[in-house]
Amino acid sequence: MNNTPRPGRDDARRPRRLRADGVRSLVSETGLSASDLIAPVFVDATTDERVPIDSMPGHERVPVDDAVARVEEVLATGVEAVMVFGIPEFKDDRGTRAYAETGVVQRAVRQITAETDAYVITDVCLCEYTEHGHCGIVEPGAEEDPHLTVENDESVDLLAATAVSHAEAGADMVAPSASLDGMVGAIRDGLDEGGFRNLPIMSYAAKYESAFYGPFRDAADGAPAFGDRRHYQMDPANAREARREVELDVGEGADVLMVKPALPYLDVVADVRREHDHPVAAYNVSGEYAMLHAAAEKGWLDLDAVAHESLLSIKRAGADLILTYFAEDVAESL
């Protein structure tokens, strides 16, 4: 028997030895569990029945009185945390229903925390609550002048009021998503002054002006009525800017750092993980969800397989937590 290695072959380096059944799982570097996942829940104050979201198959807007039942469905899959988004009874130019004691999120959170063991996170933004669909109060003349945008500092004060109202309703964590300068610090100050020093903030620290948000805007009825959000959300071309944005939020008191979207920005997720010891979250957004569903409906992809692989890749890049519309389906398969 000739034991002489073939030219170019190195018997000391055979990675396939560790890919056999049995050992493959032992050397797997990344795991995914239901406790890594956060499920979005859309609560709609304008309806008394569940309304399917056409662009996000399998998801619905639920009435306030059905919020507990919806969260119980999530918990039954093993997912322990939910993110609550609200669609208000009416909208105005200042988003007043975002911080009203009787607002849709406030009412839903009171019921959910009273009747379930879910960990409840709330989205803190004004886009679902303003009649113009922007994430804060807009500057005078913004509808006609594309150079004008959201008035930053006054809007930040309203975000802080919104966060405090969510805390008073029983939220376990607040998640500001408006991409406004100084919002984390203002919210931290508001929570501390309101007696909620131990309530954590998950900041959308690196949030890009992405084309992947389309289906969410259908779900939350939050598309801008004019213009876009390029003046306050980040340029998709920029990675170094993300480092600066995240560092600012860390300095202002963010407890968890989120990157949004996830799959097109895995390099940013990896950067945040490498540079900071905070927990890192990533938002596997509606467009990422919808495009896999669309391909699966064509028979081009195995939906369960690509959903699991997508979330695994986000975890591998460095995310500790993943906000995803696949949460329930993937959790049940684990």
Side-chain angles (χ1 to χ4, degrees), residues 200 221 297:
D221 194 19
E297 288 171 7

PDB file of all heavy atoms in Angstrom, residues 200 221 297:
ATOM      1  N   PRO A 200     -34.275  49.280  31.237  1.00  0.00           N
ATOM      2  CA  PRO A 200     -33.242  49.405  30.200  1.00  0.00           C
ATOM      3  C   PRO A 200     -33.758  50.002  28.890  1.00  0.00           C
ATOM      4  O   PRO A 200     -34.955  49.971  28.590  1.00  0.00           O
ATOM      5  CB  PRO A 200     -32.787  47.955  29.990  1.00  0.00           C
ATOM      6  CG  PRO A 200     -33.959  47.134  30.387  1.00  0.00           C
ATOM      7  CD  PRO A 200     -34.693  47.884  31.453  1.00  0.00           C
ATOM      8  N   ASP A 221     -48.688  51.335   9.307  1.00  0.00           N
ATOM      9  CA  ASP A 221     -49.299  52.541   8.737  1.00  0.00           C
ATOM     10  C   ASP A 221     -48.427  53.751   9.041  1.00  0.00           C
ATOM     11  O   ASP A 221     -48.912  54.787   9.500  1.00  0.00           O
ATOM     12  CB  ASP A 221     -50.715  52.730   9.295  1.00  0.00           C
ATOM     13  CG  ASP A 221     -51.516  53.755   8.504  1.00  0.00           C
ATOM     14  OD1 ASP A 221     -51.136  54.038   7.364  1.00  0.00           O
ATOM     15  OD2 ASP A 221     -52.503  54.273   9.051  1.00  0.00           O
ATOM     16  N   GLU A 297     -42.854  31.096  -2.126  1.00  0.00           N
ATOM     17  CA  GLU A 297     -44.131  30.922  -2.823  1.00  0.00           C
ATOM     18  C   GLU A 297     -43.930  30.547  -4.291  1.00  0.00           C
ATOM     19  O   GLU A 297     -44.760  29.857  -4.882  1.00  0.00           O
ATOM     20  CB  GLU A 297     -44.959  32.207  -2.700  1.00  0.00           C
ATOM     21  CG  GLU A 297     -45.520  32.427  -1.297  1.00  0.00           C
ATOM     22  CD  GLU A 297     -46.154  33.795  -1.140  1.00  0.00           C
ATOM     23  OE1 GLU A 297     -46.276  34.521  -2.157  1.00  0.00           O
ATOM     24  OE2 GLU A 297     -46.527  34.145   0.003  1.00  0.00           O
TER      25      GLU A 297
END
